[in-house]
Amino acid sequence: MPAKIMEGISVAAAIKDEVAAEVAALATRGLRPGLAAVLVGSDPGSQIYVSSKVKTCGQLGLYSEKIELPETTTTEELLALVGDLNSRDEIDGILIQLPLPKHVNSALVLDNVDPAKDVDGFHRQNIGRLALNEPGLRSCTPAGIMEMLDRYEIPIKGARAVVLGRSRNVGLPMSLLLLHRNATVTICHSRTENLPAVTREADILIAAVGRMAMVDATFVKPGAVVVDVGTNQVTDAGDLERLFGDNPKKRASFEKNGSTLIGDVNPREVSEVAGYLTPVPGGVGPLTIAMLMKNTLAAMKRRRG
Ligand code: NAP
C-alpha cells in the first residue's frame, strides 16, 4: 500500500488559524505581536521567503516591518539596526534572513539579537535552552515537524528516530526535540558510515541534508514515517525522467521554469515502502512559516506578559 501523505500545508493552515484567533483576541486588549524581517542584498530566493513571511503576518493580523538593505551593508550597520529593533517594544520577533553577504560577520549579528526576540531560534542561548529542555524559542522548521507528527498522532515516545543532518537550524534542534519527547535518536551526517543500514532502523526518519532524492527505498524500513525537509532543484532532464517518470505536473513545471523542486527523498521509491511521507512542495515548507508566526506570538506573550 502506498505511503499516507502527510499534508504539511493543512497542518500549517490549522496552526495559522489558531494564531489568528489569538491575535484577534489580543487586539481587543490593544495588543498586537510584531515581526521585523531584515533582508540584506537581492538574492531572489531570500526575497520570496521574506515577502511570504511578511504577507502571512498581514493575513493573520500581526504587525510586520520589512527592512531591505543593500548588499554593501556592513556588520556595524547591521549591529546598530539589531540594537534598535531589540529596544523597540512593539517588535516581538526579529528575523535576519540568511544567508547574509559574505563580508558580514553573521554569527556576531545573530548573537546580538535579543534571545527573547529570536523567533528563528538560532541564538546560542535558545539552542542551549533547547539542549537542556528549558523553555525558549525553538527553531521553526523542526518545531513545525513536531506539530505535524503530533497532529497525525505519530507515536514518538520509545520510537527509533533517525535524523539525517546535524545543522544548527534543522538537524540538531530536530534531534533534541525528538529526544526530549523520549524517542531514541540517532543523528547522521556526512561522515556516517553505512548510512542506509542506520536509517533503516528508523520508525521516524527525518531527511535534512540538501541532497536531491538521496534517500531511496534502501534507506527506509517498511512502514516508517518519513519527513522530507530538503528543497533541491532538478535542472537536468535525465534526472527529471529518472525521478518523476511522466508525472505531468513536474514536467510542466520543468518546462516552464527550467527546473522543478524535489526533496532529499526519492518520492516514487519511498512512497512504496514508507507508512507516511511528506510531499515536496506542500510538506515541511509551509510549517516553517506557520511556526514563525506562532513563535512571534509566543515571544510577545512571554516578553510583554
Ligand atoms: P546544511 O546546513 O547544509 O546541513 C546539511 C546536513 O546534511 C549537514 O549536517 C551535513 O553533514 C549533512 N549531509 C550532507 N551531505 C550528506 C551526505 N551525503 N550524507 C549524510 N549527511 C550529509 O542544510 P540545512 O540548512 O540543514 O538544510 C537541509 C535541507 O533542508 C536543504 O535542502 C534546505 O534547503 C532544506 N530546508 C528546508 C526548509 C523548509 O522549510 N522546507 C527549512 C530549512 C532547510 P555535515 O554536518 O557532516 O556536513
Side-chain angles (χ1 to χ4, degrees):
M1 204 170 57
K4 188 168 180 225
I5 298 300
M6 285 199 283
E7 304 284 357
I9 210 160
S10 315
V11 175
I15 295 169
K16 287 193 283 188
D17 284 349
E18 290 159 15
V19 171
E22 268 203 67
V23 170
L26 286 166
T28 63
R29 294 164 47 199
L31 293 166
R32 194 177 185 200
L35 176 73
V38 180
L39 174 63
V40 183
S42 53
D43 175 69
S46 294
Q47 281 180 331
I48 293 170
Y49 290 139
V50 169
S51 296
S52 90
K53 289 166 185 174
V54 167
K55 190 171 142 206
T56 310
C57 283
Q59 288 165 345
L60 306 193
L62 285 83
Y63 170 72
S64 67
E65 256 174 50
K66 182 171 164 187
I67 302 164
E68 292 182 88
L69 300 168
E71 183 80 24
T72 50
T73 306
T74 62
T75 302
E76 291 66 33
E77 286 167 331
L78 275 170
L79 290 174
L81 171 67
V82 165
D84 176 50
L85 294 172
N86 284 342
S87 68
R88 285 174 54 193
D89 195 46
E90 75 280 19
I91 298 296
D92 299 289
I94 302 171
L95 178 156
I96 313 284
Q97 185 64 42
L98 299 176
L100 291 171
K102 285 203 169 57
H103 65 268
V104 171
N105 184 339
S106 301
L108 187 63
V109 172
L110 293 182
D111 277 350
N112 274 274
V113 172
D114 179 348
K117 297 188 177 189
D118 167 42
V119 282
D120 265 331
F122 291 168
H123 195 284
R124 62 187 69 245
Q125 214 182 92
N126 282 320
I127 296 174
R129 285 183 186 151
L130 168 59
L132 297 172
N133 201 15
E134 291 173 358
L137 291 163
R138 309 300 198 218
S139 178
C140 299
T141 302
I145 292 170
M146 295 304 287
E147 292 261 355
M148 184 178 60
L149 294 176
D150 283 340
R151 290 173 198 232
Y152 274 88
E153 299 181 348
I154 304 295
I156 298 174
K157 186 172 84 178
R160 290 293 308 265
V162 175
V163 180
L164 246 175
R166 56 177 165 182
S167 69
R168 179 174 176 156
N169 55 325
V170 191
L172 182 63
M174 185 78 248
S175 311
L176 291 165
L177 287 171
L178 288 163
L179 177 67
H180 296 321
R181 289 285 301 278
N182 297 310
T184 300
V185 182
T186 303
I187 307 174
C188 299
H189 45 77
S190 62
R191 320 289 155 79
T192 300
E193 291 184 5
N194 299 326
L195 199 52
V198 181
T199 60
R200 268 201 310 273
E201 291 183 0
D203 302 311
I204 300 171
L205 174 59
I206 313 285
V209 280
R211 299 265 179 272
M212 180 173 85
M214 188 181 101
V215 174
D216 63 22
T218 66
F219 282 61
V220 179
K221 174 159 101 178
V225 175
V226 180
V227 176
D228 189 356
V229 184
T231 48
N232 313 292
Q233 296 293 337
V234 178
T235 52
D236 178 82
D239 286 334
L240 179 77
E241 172 74 34
R242 177 173 61 84
L243 296 166
F244 292 113
D246 53 9
N247 181 324
K249 231 167 135 184
K250 286 292 177 186
R251 283 193 171 269
S253 115
F254 186 84
E255 267 151 38
K256 184 167 167 233
N257 309 313
S259 66
T260 190
L261 200 61
I262 191 162
D264 292 338
V265 173
N266 182 319
R268 281 211 296 180
E269 282 197 18
V270 171
S271 64
E272 295 301 317
V273 185
Y276 289 84
L277 176 64
T278 58
V280 176
V284 172
L287 291 167
T288 301
I289 294 189
M291 291 311 289
L292 178 69
M293 301 298 125
K294 192 167 170 169
N295 271 355
T296 305
L297 174 62
M300 188 204 112
K301 289 196 288 189
R302 214 171 276 152
R303 203 177 54 84
R304 297 201 236 170

